[in-house]
Amino acid sequence: MTGMTVSRRTGAAAVALLAATLLAGCGNEGKGSPAWTVEPSGGSASPGATTAGTATPSATASSAPSAQPGTTASAWKVFTDPAKKVSFDLPQEWIAQSVEPDKGTLPGAVKVEVKDAEGTYLATLQTGLPEAAPAACAAASKKSYVVVSSVPVELPHSGGEGTISPHVVFRVIQGYRFFGSYGITNVVGGADSKACQLQNVVRGLEGQGNYSFSDVRSLKSFAPDEKVAPAKAFDTLDQAADYVNKGSEFANVQRMLMSLEIKN
């Protein structure tokens, strides 16, 4: 297994090379700053308030990652759930709202939905998730995928087979279009850069359950008659690269995900 990281600065030629890699399904390692990489195989509210949670302006908001793409918001605030189990930074105009945790989650689980100033959904933080075995997947059903951005983040987690250290990622899986999703994960996608689903889940510490902070908890290659949102869809890899490297939405989302803190 060899490592390969293609810098954004290599431009269109790098994207073309990555496209060839995607089609070939070659598995390599992607770590570090946002770049085209391939993963290891192996309702409304005021800006300063939320429902059942707190979001306060932060005069000393967490600094953005050193390799942050795009432009982030100028003003940020901090969300903390009522029980003070989780906290994260988000742009001042975004909305963070505590909601009822999913059925089957562990006692004390937290669920927070994040929307932009217009009320458009962006991400969900969910803790206390039970362990779930990966869905059965025939080799012929697996699709090629790449990691567009992968940045390590310090968070509590469990290791073991099929895991890496937690990373904030944006990954794209191939289908009739290129489907993309962002989140935090420490679960590898699949051997030879092929998978049926890519999990935006971190295996938590023993007794605390898993957790997810992402737009969708599991990314797959959608059928033409399926709803894709809130996952993203692109006609080309260049469009996916522009979303990550040039747009402000992903820059803000990435900074928010990177700021997550979970109390043990």
Side-chain angles (χ1 to χ4, degrees):
M1 196 73 62
T2 59
M4 178 184 70
T5 301
V6 184
S7 171
R8 298 194 305 274
R9 291 173 291 184
T10 56
V15 175
L17 176 61
L18 184 65
T21 301
L22 171 61
L23 296 175
C26 177
N28 298 286
E29 182 174 8
K31 296 181 180 179
S33 63
W36 281 99
T37 64
V38 181
E39 191 177 53
S41 64
S44 64
S46 64
T50 65
T51 301
T54 61
T56 57
S58 175
T60 57
S62 300
S63 60
S66 59
Q68 183 77 35
T71 303
T72 58
S74 59
W76 289 70
K77 60 188 177 183
V78 179
F79 172 89
T80 304
D81 73 296
K84 301 187 183 303
K85 294 181 177 180
V86 301
S87 68
F88 57 87
D89 301 342
L90 69 162
Q92 181 70 33
E93 300 302 320
W94 285 12
I95 302 161
Q97 185 174 29
S98 293
V99 296
E100 187 71 20
D102 293 349
K103 292 183 178 180
T105 52
L106 300 181
V110 174
K111 185 176 183 180
V112 183
E113 293 182 349
V114 180
K115 301 176 182 179
D116 66 15
E118 287 71 45
T120 301
Y121 170 86
L122 290 168
T124 297
L125 168 62
Q126 173 76 80
T127 67
L129 296 171
E131 189 67 43
C137 177
S141 299
K142 294 182 178 181
K143 303 294 184 180
S144 297
Y145 73 92
V146 290
V147 181
V148 183
S149 175
S150 181
V151 182
V153 60
E154 292 291 334
L155 285 167
H157 65 282
S158 294
E161 184 178 357
T163 67
I164 56 175
S165 61
H167 280 62
V168 173
V169 300
F170 187 88
R171 296 179 288 186
V172 174
I173 193 166
Q174 189 177 17
Y176 74 94
R177 298 181 74 187
F178 296 97
F179 302 104
S181 174
Y182 48 71
I184 306 176
T185 188
N186 77 328
V187 180
V188 297
D192 299 323
S193 293
K194 289 181 176 289
C196 286
Q197 294 185 341
L198 299 172
Q199 297 184 57
N200 290 319
V201 174
V202 176
R203 293 181 182 172
L205 299 177
E206 185 175 356
Q208 297 186 14
N210 300 338
Y211 58 93
S212 175
F213 199 5
S214 60
D215 51 1
V216 295
R217 199 177 300 168
S218 181
L219 175 67
K220 66 175 184 176
S221 177
F222 295 87
D225 60 346
E226 286 186 293
K227 178 183 177 181
V228 176
K232 308 293 185 287
F234 308 97
D235 293 324
T236 67
L237 291 174
D238 287 307
Q239 290 178 1
D242 287 346
Y243 175 77
V244 167
N245 298 328
K246 297 180 180 180
S248 62
E249 180 179 275
F250 181 74
N252 283 319
V253 166
Q254 186 187 61
R255 176 171 172 175
M256 177 179 71
L257 299 181
M258 293 287 294
S259 72
L260 177 64
E261 293 187 8
I262 296 181
K263 309 301 187 296
N264 294 331

Short mmCIF file of all heavy atoms in Angstrom, two decimals, residues 43-46 49-51 93-97 99 113-121:
data_model
loop_
_atom_site.label_atom_id
_atom_site.label_comp_id
_atom_site.label_asym_id
_atom_site.label_seq_id
_atom_site.Cartn_x
_atom_site.Cartn_y
_atom_site.Cartn_z
N GLY A 43 -36.27 25.66 12.12
CA GLY A 43 -37.07 26.80 12.65
C GLY A 43 -36.16 27.94 12.90
O GLY A 43 -35.04 27.93 12.82
N SER A 44 -36.48 29.11 13.26
CA SER A 44 -35.46 30.14 13.33
C SER A 44 -35.05 30.39 14.75
O SER A 44 -35.86 30.19 15.66
CB SER A 44 -35.96 31.45 12.68
OG SER A 44 -37.04 31.97 13.38
N ALA A 45 -33.97 31.01 14.99
CA ALA A 45 -33.52 31.37 16.33
C ALA A 45 -32.58 32.55 16.19
O ALA A 45 -32.01 32.78 15.15
CB ALA A 45 -32.79 30.20 16.99
N SER A 46 -32.50 33.33 17.25
CA SER A 46 -31.58 34.45 17.20
C SER A 46 -30.15 33.95 17.19
O SER A 46 -29.87 32.85 17.66
CB SER A 46 -31.80 35.34 18.44
OG SER A 46 -31.50 34.63 19.61
N ALA A 49 -28.84 32.42 20.53
CA ALA A 49 -29.63 31.48 21.33
C ALA A 49 -30.09 30.32 20.49
O ALA A 49 -30.21 30.40 19.29
CB ALA A 49 -30.85 32.20 21.92
N THR A 50 -30.34 29.21 21.16
CA THR A 50 -30.88 28.03 20.49
C THR A 50 -31.98 27.44 21.35
O THR A 50 -32.22 27.87 22.47
CB THR A 50 -29.79 26.96 20.31
OG1 THR A 50 -29.40 26.51 21.61
CG2 THR A 50 -28.57 27.49 19.59
N THR A 51 -32.65 26.44 20.83
CA THR A 51 -33.65 25.72 21.60
C THR A 51 -32.96 24.61 22.37
O THR A 51 -32.23 23.81 21.80
CB THR A 51 -34.71 25.11 20.67
OG1 THR A 51 -35.32 26.17 19.93
CG2 THR A 51 -35.76 24.36 21.46
N GLU A 93 -24.24 33.63 12.57
CA GLU A 93 -25.58 33.62 11.98
C GLU A 93 -26.17 32.23 11.84
O GLU A 93 -27.34 32.09 11.51
CB GLU A 93 -25.55 34.30 10.60
CG GLU A 93 -25.10 35.75 10.64
CD GLU A 93 -25.96 36.61 11.54
OE1 GLU A 93 -27.19 36.42 11.52
OE2 GLU A 93 -25.42 37.47 12.27
N TRP A 94 -25.40 31.19 12.08
CA TRP A 94 -25.94 29.83 11.97
C TRP A 94 -26.76 29.48 13.20
O TRP A 94 -26.66 30.11 14.26
CB TRP A 94 -24.81 28.83 11.79
CG TRP A 94 -24.21 28.85 10.41
CD1 TRP A 94 -24.41 29.78 9.44
CD2 TRP A 94 -23.28 27.90 9.88
NE1 TRP A 94 -23.67 29.46 8.32
CE2 TRP A 94 -22.97 28.32 8.56
CE3 TRP A 94 -22.69 26.74 10.37
CZ2 TRP A 94 -22.09 27.60 7.74
CZ3 TRP A 94 -21.81 26.03 9.56
CH2 TRP A 94 -21.53 26.46 8.25
N ILE A 95 -27.58 28.45 13.08
CA ILE A 95 -28.51 28.03 14.13
C ILE A 95 -28.14 26.62 14.59
O ILE A 95 -28.03 25.70 13.78
CB ILE A 95 -29.96 28.03 13.61
CG1 ILE A 95 -30.34 29.41 13.09
CG2 ILE A 95 -30.93 27.56 14.70
CD1 ILE A 95 -31.54 29.40 12.16
N ALA A 96 -27.94 26.45 15.89
CA ALA A 96 -27.72 25.12 16.48
C ALA A 96 -28.87 24.84 17.43
O ALA A 96 -29.17 25.65 18.30
CB ALA A 96 -26.39 25.08 17.22
N GLN A 97 -29.51 23.70 17.27
CA GLN A 97 -30.72 23.39 18.03
C GLN A 97 -30.66 21.97 18.56
O GLN A 97 -30.49 21.00 17.82
CB GLN A 97 -31.95 23.55 17.14
CG GLN A 97 -33.27 23.35 17.85
CD GLN A 97 -34.44 23.67 16.95
OE1 GLN A 97 -34.36 23.52 15.73
NE2 GLN A 97 -35.53 24.10 17.54
N VAL A 99 -32.26 18.63 19.75
CA VAL A 99 -33.49 17.92 19.42
C VAL A 99 -33.49 16.56 20.12
O VAL A 99 -32.50 16.16 20.73
CB VAL A 99 -33.64 17.74 17.90
CG1 VAL A 99 -33.76 19.09 17.20
CG2 VAL A 99 -32.47 16.94 17.32
N GLU A 113 -28.88 19.69 15.75
CA GLU A 113 -28.94 19.96 14.33
C GLU A 113 -28.42 21.37 14.07
O GLU A 113 -28.72 22.31 14.82
CB GLU A 113 -30.37 19.83 13.81
CG GLU A 113 -30.89 18.39 13.85
CD GLU A 113 -32.29 18.26 13.28
OE1 GLU A 113 -32.95 19.30 13.04
OE2 GLU A 113 -32.72 17.11 13.06
N VAL A 114 -27.66 21.53 13.01
CA VAL A 114 -27.09 22.82 12.63
C VAL A 114 -27.65 23.24 11.28
O VAL A 114 -27.65 22.46 10.32
CB VAL A 114 -25.55 22.75 12.56
CG1 VAL A 114 -24.98 24.11 12.17
CG2 VAL A 114 -24.97 22.30 13.90
N LYS A 115 -28.12 24.51 11.21
CA LYS A 115 -28.63 25.07 9.96
C LYS A 115 -27.98 26.42 9.73
O LYS A 115 -27.46 27.05 10.66
CB LYS A 115 -30.16 25.23 10.04
CG LYS A 115 -30.89 23.91 10.30
CD LYS A 115 -32.39 24.13 10.46
CE LYS A 115 -33.10 22.82 10.76
NZ LYS A 115 -34.57 23.01 10.94
N ASP A 116 -28.03 26.87 8.48
CA ASP A 116 -27.48 28.19 8.21
C ASP A 116 -28.50 29.27 8.53
O ASP A 116 -29.59 28.99 9.05
CB ASP A 116 -26.98 28.29 6.77
CG ASP A 116 -28.09 28.19 5.72
OD1 ASP A 116 -29.29 28.34 6.07
OD2 ASP A 116 -27.76 27.97 4.53
N ALA A 117 -28.20 30.54 8.25
CA ALA A 117 -29.06 31.66 8.61
C ALA A 117 -30.42 31.59 7.94
O ALA A 117 -31.40 32.11 8.46
CB ALA A 117 -28.37 32.98 8.27
N GLU A 118 -30.50 30.92 6.78
CA GLU A 118 -31.77 30.79 6.06
C GLU A 118 -32.55 29.55 6.48
O GLU A 118 -33.64 29.28 5.97
CB GLU A 118 -31.53 30.73 4.55
CG GLU A 118 -31.13 32.06 3.92
CD GLU A 118 -29.73 32.49 4.30
OE1 GLU A 118 -28.82 31.62 4.27
OE2 GLU A 118 -29.54 33.67 4.64
N GLY A 119 -32.00 28.77 7.41
CA GLY A 119 -32.67 27.56 7.88
C GLY A 119 -32.36 26.33 7.06
O GLY A 119 -33.02 25.29 7.22
N THR A 120 -31.37 26.38 6.19
CA THR A 120 -30.98 25.22 5.40
C THR A 120 -30.12 24.29 6.24
O THR A 120 -29.13 24.71 6.85
CB THR A 120 -30.19 25.66 4.16
OG1 THR A 120 -31.00 26.54 3.38
CG2 THR A 120 -29.80 24.46 3.31
N TYR A 121 -30.48 23.03 6.26
CA TYR A 121 -29.76 22.03 7.05
C TYR A 121 -28.31 21.89 6.60
O TYR A 121 -28.00 21.89 5.41
CB TYR A 121 -30.47 20.68 6.94
CG TYR A 121 -29.69 19.53 7.53
CD1 TYR A 121 -29.77 19.23 8.89
CD2 TYR A 121 -28.86 18.74 6.73
CE1 TYR A 121 -29.05 18.18 9.43
CE2 TYR A 121 -28.14 17.68 7.26
CZ TYR A 121 -28.23 17.41 8.61
OH TYR A 121 -27.50 16.37 9.15
#
